[in-house]
Amino acid sequence: MDHKFKQDALDYHEYPTPGKLTITPTKRMATQTDLSLAYSPGVAAPCLEIKRDPSLASKYTAKSNLVGVISNGTAVLGLGNIGPLAGKPVMEGKAVLFKKFAGIDVFDIEVDANDPEHFCNVVSALEPTFGGINLEDIKAPECFIIEQNLKCRMNIPVFHDDQHGTAIVVSAATINALRIQNKKIEDVKLVTSGAGAAAIACVNLLVTLGLKLENVILTDIDGVVWKGRDPNMPENMARYAKDTQARRLEDVIAGADIFLGVSVAGVLKKEWVAKMASNPLILALANPEPEITPEEVGSIRSDAIMATGRSDHPNQVNNVLCFPFIFRGALDVGATEINEEMKKAAAYALANLATQEANEVVVAAYGGQAPAFGPEYILPKPFDPRLILEIAPAVAKAAMQTGVALRPIDDFNGYLEHLMQFVFRTSQVMQPVFAAVHQHKGLQKVVFSEGENDRVLRAIQTMVNEQMVLPYVIGDQKRIHEKITQLGLSLKIGKDLTVYDPQKDNAFLQTLEKPYQRLVERTGVPPSLAYEQLYRRKSILAAMLLREGHVDAALVGGFGEWYRHFKTLKNIIPKQDGVKEFHTISAMIQSNVALFMGDTYLHLDPTAEEIAELTLLASEMVSMFGMVPRAALLSYSSFGTGKSESALKMKKALAIIREKNPSLEIDGEMQGDAALSETLRSRLIDDSPLRGNANLLIMPSLDAANIGFSLSRVVGNGLQIGPITLGTTKPLHVLTENTTARGIVNLTAIAIRQSLRKKQ
């Protein structure tokens, strides 16, 4: 590495705090009561329960989500035997990958023990601490002895990632390459360069997938692994030893379908590649330089599929593609081991993921380009957010099917919803809404005004895959078809979605002309202009389809000024009975809290009556998310400390709300910190009906709401749901320019849920 990169790496590890890990409490520690519950005397209760029933450790402690990344530093990342202390930065790095990709906590433990028996004694004694053990950077052949010893002695998963993680990713790459090459695994010949822990683990797993023993030839630094080469040859290597006169890699590469390199740079020569079978797979995994470069292979073979261990080449074989998610699935069912069936399940899940079309989050992970399954895309990228959704459930199911799961999962749909929080932070809040939508047997019709928009089409693909909606879109049918192809989606017009093309569907759309003309003719819009608006402004057309009952909900906009769209539409969809104004709320999802805020888009300086109406409508919406609404009317003033018009307005609104809905948990006027802290609120008054922290924050003005919402998004790294329109007779929501494809999915689910409630 060059000097600058080296210094950047050192600074990264030193500042602002040395190392890459810290411990963060999961429980509040703010009062004496908290301390008494967390430690003495309260901690005695779970201790005694676990003493009575050891399985309760998964209920009362972090054990079931805690993995030990353990090494003696004898084979660190290509650096060799640098010892346990020097290897600690690597183990910390492994720990943060577990946390980043799968939400798994890790203690990294560096053991100063080269003797396998000593090492095993130390690690096995730690079993009460962990839900699983990830062995890391231990040299061969000791790594085989250590892993086997610990698997026999411990009743939790023990997984040497250098072996099995590599094997799983290599197997996934092989599965997909053979799919593309139209070859069967039982027919192919495989030659390795390298016969160490990783190479043998790769071959072992491929054999369980159907590769024939007789079609495998191992080579290493001493040449071909042949019978009789070494009387003390390890059993796992001797299994593949061949009765042959060949002694060099060059002698055995001819006719090979697969080259598996887990060795050193440059060992595979271009002229040897020319001797391989047609459509070969070359896995050159040496780091930092592969056994042969893609450029060298490309100069001599156009039919080869190439994979390396590097991120700057296509098809990177990287263990991070599997190990966090294998442990996620194993931990979630309380697996006692990670067996062959679990590894096979992970390999197939990883391979199948590469064949799926990409959604917006995936495209973002790929730098804005939608990946397409093919010779240069046989494996997902490490930042593909779907990895956890595919691999963890597959591993969990395999553990259950093979009888090693102590805590089998009964509700796999619920489990998938739980995993969604690792992909979309909004999932935990949205789960009750999605559950209600999926429980309804008849799909609702939803129209999207911007049918040519990338985000809309990606969102529709997701919802069609989940059988969530009957989508209708407005736009040029030819252009929409081209967009679907360009984005790599599998949507079929006429089957998966219906297109209303204003230039072609005149006969049907003409039925909307008179109804729209009647709506606007007394607002200064002559018939000719009304017709022009209907056909040229897709938001109007979508709203009219909703008004006339052709669809159940509408999502419009997504570009330009939000209010401009809404102003055009507010006279098309009527208000609910008894509602005087439309309102909006938006939800902000942060790391540990979901806050609903209003009114974030419509009313510049609402009256007390309008604030009361907003609060009552918003509390109904919060209930739809499965939450008990706890509302706070915010102000610069707290409980009468200020006498401005704004503070008095909020106080008056409180009185109106309590008269109309006495059971609603609400208080005000109060400052924001009091709304979010019951402890602080209790210092100001001791009789507040609002318990805990407020989840519905009602602002005194549009300025306050919009500024507060924007700051919480940036400062708190929050994610938005909304804006959600309140007060309409039929669900209609206007998208902002910042609404992502996932945001569209969320708003569609909300609209469907609103539609279903109105029909009940």
Side-chain angles (χ1 to χ4, degrees), residues 34-47:
D34 294 338
L35 181 60
S36 66
L37 292 170
Y39 199 55
S40 181
V43 74
C47 288

Side-chain angles (χ1 to χ4, degrees), residues 433 576 579 583-586 595-599 610-633 653-654 656-658 660-667 690 694-698 724-727 754 757:
V433 178
Q576 296 176 22
V579 171
H583 304 274
T584 64
I585 61 167
S586 297
L595 294 176
F596 291 81
M597 299 186 193
D599 182 332
E610 288 170 343
I611 287 171
E613 184 174 78
L614 161 65
T615 305
L616 294 169
L617 290 169
S619 65
E620 293 177 10
M621 178 56 64
V622 173
S623 298
M624 199 178 80
F625 285 84
M627 302 165 64
V628 176
R630 296 184 171 89
L633 302 180
L654 178 64
I656 297 171
I657 295 164
R658 283 180 170 168
K660 292 187 175 183
N661 186 357
S663 64
L664 178 63
E665 275 194 53
I666 185 171
D667 212 342
L690 180 60
N695 53 27
L696 175 57
L697 307 180
I698 305 298
I724 303 168
T725 308
L726 306 175
Q754 287 175 303
R757 292 183 93 179

Side-chain angles (χ1 to χ4, degrees), residues 39-58:
Y39 199 55
S40 181
V43 74
C47 288
L48 293 173
E49 286 295 292
I50 295 168
K51 173 68 175 175
R52 179 181 62 81
D53 180 358
S55 70
L56 293 177
S58 65

Side-chain angles (χ1 to χ4, degrees), residues 282-297:
I282 298 172
L283 299 155
L285 308 183
N287 263 321
E289 295 299 327
E291 286 81 359
I292 189 169
T293 67
E295 293 78 13
E296 290 174 307
V297 171

Side-chain angles (χ1 to χ4, degrees), residues 503-563:
Q503 305 305 316
K504 295 180 179 179
D505 298 322
N506 290 341
F508 170 69
L509 298 180
Q510 281 173 0
T511 64
L512 304 176
E513 291 177 0
K514 285 296 183 184
Y516 181 64
Q517 180 191 339
R518 287 194 292 269
L519 280 175
V520 299
E521 64 187 358
R522 295 186 181 275
T523 63
V525 180
S528 59
L529 182 56
Y531 299 152
E532 183 180 345
Q533 288 180 344
L534 182 64
Y535 287 99
R536 293 187 61 184
R537 301 184 66 174
K538 291 182 282 188
S539 293
I540 293 176
L541 184 52
M544 285 303 299
L545 288 167
L546 177 60
R547 180 185 175 92
E548 295 301 304
H550 298 293
V551 294
D552 301 296
L555 270 71
V556 303
F559 63 93
E561 184 185 358
W562 184 94
Y563 186 71

